[in-house]
Amino acid sequence: MVLYRIGSALYFATIHVFSLFNDKARLWVQGRKDWYNQLKNCISSIPDYYKRKKVWIHVSSLGEFEQGRPVLEAIKKEYPNICIILTFFSPSGYEVRKSYPLADIVAYLPADSPANAEGFLNLVQPDLAIWVKYDFWYYFLQELRTKNIPTVLIAAVFRKNSVFEKGILRNFYRNHILPCFTRIFVQDKDSARRLAAYYPKDKITIAGDTRYDRVIAVASQYKDLPILPFDGITLVAGSTWSKDESLLSEVYQKIKIPLRIIIAPHEIHEAHLKEIERKFNYKIVRYSQLSAYPESRLILVDNFGLLSTLYRYGQVAYIGNGFGKHIHNLLEASVYGIPTIFGPRHHKAIEAKEHIQLGVSKEVHSAQDIITYLEEIYQNSALRNEIRKKLHGHFAEKKGAVDKIMHEITSYLK
């Protein structure tokens, strides 16, 4: 415990130092200033707060929020009088979702310490705590356990090289973190098998991935965008980074089949947009100006919130950051029955491995790999139909994680 306290204190101190010259760290620090009084004021503004059931949902950042969102929405739909307290660790999640309407309170999670954990839980007094995927903070979890507050972990994945199986902190996570959870919902059978080696088997539920439920729901909400039909292949490139955009520029210059590329970059600040325009020799048209150039074969999306709908217009999707840290969400593309391609960094995504094995996704390493695959898709309509059928069957099989979770947590919500 001493090592954890020293390590976490150094970690938070480092963030404060970085806040002097790093915008993200600065938001992290500023967002937690006077957190106790800010939270107290939020609670006091909610009628009958302490007379109502309360669910605290904690996520690390935006990706984990999207993973937990279907459960949050299911709770609010079935129990509209329940108060939802949503906390984020990272500014990149909080800043985007701080006005999320279905949460009664959206806040930063205070830095992990005994005093902060006790103060937070004395104020919030949740009847149920839901943690999404990971982001394990010892003092908060221990305080939940001490107060006998039911605490579940959802969308969990346990891998061969995780902190639970490798490294000097393995026993700490097994003996002091996992026992704080009343039940753990895992995404797949392999995670359940691994977890059962150091956590009670009867407290493990294989629920699946909640993101399948989320993307199915989003895809069913049709939105019409000003994207004209195109007699060729439309490649929708989502959440791209600089390396991805360089590759796509090379693909566009060399490919022989009719190709339209729609790029929705991970970052849309002006400097990055101009960088992309230079790579495409200024032939690319920004989405905000598309009405003036509706037949453009190069479209640069310069606003957020469109990507999940844009995939509907593609015959192939390119998932960004496979040459960086890790690929972004491929499910929001494949739900439309289209194949996905991405770089080699996808080892943390169970769905990427499954989709490659199913033959509906492909790992690429170069511009030529992309060109070869696009030409194959363009020339082989039977292959396109086969991929579409496989994906429709796959999503039908995978949906239902939210129902499984709701079935088991309902007793805490009544």
Side-chain angles (χ1 to χ4, degrees):
M1 295 312 102
V2 174
L3 285 176
Y4 176 84
R5 186 156 193 175
I6 293 172
S8 59
L10 287 173
Y11 176 71
F12 296 128
T14 301
I15 294 177
H16 278 77
V17 172
F18 271 88
S19 71
L20 299 175
F21 49 85
N22 181 277
D23 290 340
K24 187 174 180 180
R26 189 176 302 114
L27 286 171
W28 192 98
V29 172
Q30 290 175 347
R32 287 166 170 81
K33 283 184 178 179
D34 197 26
W35 69 264
Y36 185 89
N37 285 320
Q38 288 187 46
L39 182 58
K40 187 177 181 179
N41 290 336
C42 286
I43 289 173
S44 65
S45 69
I46 299 173
D48 299 322
Y49 177 84
Y50 289 112
K51 294 180 181 179
R52 295 160 65 181
K53 285 279 186 177
K54 298 166 287 294
V55 177
W56 170 31
I57 299 177
H58 175 66
V59 300
S60 174
S61 192
L62 194 58
E64 293 70 41
F65 167 77
E66 291 299 327
Q67 197 115 42
R69 180 175 180 169
V71 175
L72 186 160
E73 293 179 351
I75 292 172
K76 204 67 175 178
K77 181 179 180 180
E78 192 165 343
Y79 306 97
N81 198 46
I82 280 180
C83 285
I84 302 287
I85 301 90
L86 173 65
T87 59
F88 288 87
F89 178 79
S90 169
S92 49
Y94 173 81
E95 293 300 326
V96 175
R97 294 300 180 193
K98 59 187 176 184
S99 299
Y100 180 63
L102 292 187
D104 297 271
I105 296 173
V106 183
Y108 278 106
L109 183 73
D112 194 28
S113 73
N116 283 352
E118 183 179 13
F120 180 89
L121 286 168
N122 284 343
L123 270 180
V124 173
Q125 296 183 21
D127 297 282
L128 172 67
I130 300 175
W131 285 43
V132 181
K133 202 168 184 178
Y134 56 88
D135 205 39
F136 307 113
W137 296 106
Y138 170 75
Y139 293 114
F140 279 95
L141 289 170
Q142 283 296 320
E143 190 68 17
L144 285 164
R145 190 182 188 189
T146 299
K147 293 181 182 299
N148 293 314
I149 297 169
T151 304
V152 300
L153 176 65
I154 67 171
V157 177
F158 293 85
R159 301 184 184 87
K160 182 178 180 180
N161 295 319
S162 73
V163 292
F164 296 96
E165 299 191 16
K166 186 178 180 180
I168 60 174
L169 292 176
R170 179 183 64 177
N171 289 334
F172 169 76
Y173 278 95
R174 289 185 179 188
N175 300 331
H176 298 285
I177 295 295
L178 289 181
C180 297
F181 290 104
T182 310
R183 176 162 293 279
I184 296 178
F185 298 89
V186 298
Q187 290 190 31
D188 64 322
K189 292 179 181 179
D190 187 57
S191 291
R193 178 182 61 80
R194 292 186 177 280
L195 178 59
Y198 38 85
Y199 183 80
K201 189 175 182 180
D202 62 341
K203 294 183 178 181
I204 302 169
T205 299
I206 303 172
D209 189 341
T210 53
R211 291 178 303 162
Y212 280 91
D213 296 277
R214 172 64 184 162
V215 298
I216 289 170
V218 170
S220 68
Q221 299 166 3
Y222 184 80
K223 296 178 183 177
D224 192 25
L225 299 180
I227 307 292
L228 295 179
F230 179 70
D231 188 18
I233 291 292
T234 294
L235 175 66
V236 180
S239 299
T240 58
W241 293 67
S242 183
K243 172 66 175 177
D244 303 310
E245 291 140 11
S246 296
L247 275 177
L248 293 171
S249 173
E250 185 179 348
V251 167
Y252 191 77
Q253 293 174 43
K254 294 181 177 180
I255 200 163
K256 304 300 182 184
I257 64 170
L259 176 68
R260 175 171 63 182
I261 302 179
I262 302 173
I263 299 178
H266 180 68
E267 295 180 342
I268 60 169
H269 56 77
E270 189 62 23
H272 189 204
L273 294 176
K274 287 182 176 178
E275 177 191 335
I276 296 170
E277 288 171 336
R278 285 193 294 272
K279 287 179 179 178
F280 285 88
N281 296 320
Y282 298 95
K283 296 177 182 178
I284 196 164
V285 173
R286 296 193 185 190
Y287 182 85
S288 59
Q289 302 168 351
L290 188 59
S291 59
Y293 308 93
E295 296 185 358
S296 174
R297 290 171 57 174
L298 288 171
I299 301 170
L300 175 58
V301 181
D302 53 354
N303 56 338
F304 284 122
L306 293 177
L307 182 56
S308 59
T309 303
L310 282 167
Y311 283 128
R312 184 190 298 274
Y313 295 86
Q315 283 74 53
V316 181
Y318 178 96
I319 311 303
N321 212 28
F323 294 91
K325 289 184 177 181
H326 193 265
I327 63 168
H328 291 277
N329 187 351
L330 69 84
L331 296 180
E332 60 182 3
S334 56
V335 71
Y336 293 107
I338 63 174
T340 52
I341 56 177
F342 39 77
R345 301 287 177 85
H346 56 77
H347 60 283
K348 293 182 180 179
I350 296 172
E351 65 275 13
K353 180 181 178 181
E354 291 178 343
H355 284 204
I356 290 173
Q357 291 174 343
L358 194 61
V360 298
S361 291
K362 187 173 183 62
E363 177 183 316
V364 295
H365 297 265
S366 65
Q368 187 55 53
D369 284 351
I370 298 172
I371 291 171
T372 301
Y373 188 71
L374 292 178
E375 289 175 344
E376 181 182 12
I377 291 295
Y378 176 68
Q379 295 162 3
N380 194 336
S381 60
L383 176 59
R384 294 197 300 272
N385 290 332
E386 181 185 354
I387 289 172
R388 187 178 299 108
K389 289 179 181 178
K390 283 182 177 180
L391 282 170
H392 287 165
H394 181 70
F395 275 83
E397 179 185 324
K398 288 287 187 177
K399 69 179 181 180
V402 174
D403 289 341
K404 291 178 183 177
I405 294 170
M406 288 295 293
H407 177 74
E408 297 209 30
I409 67 172
T410 296
S411 60
Y412 306 125
L413 304 176
K414 291 180 178 179

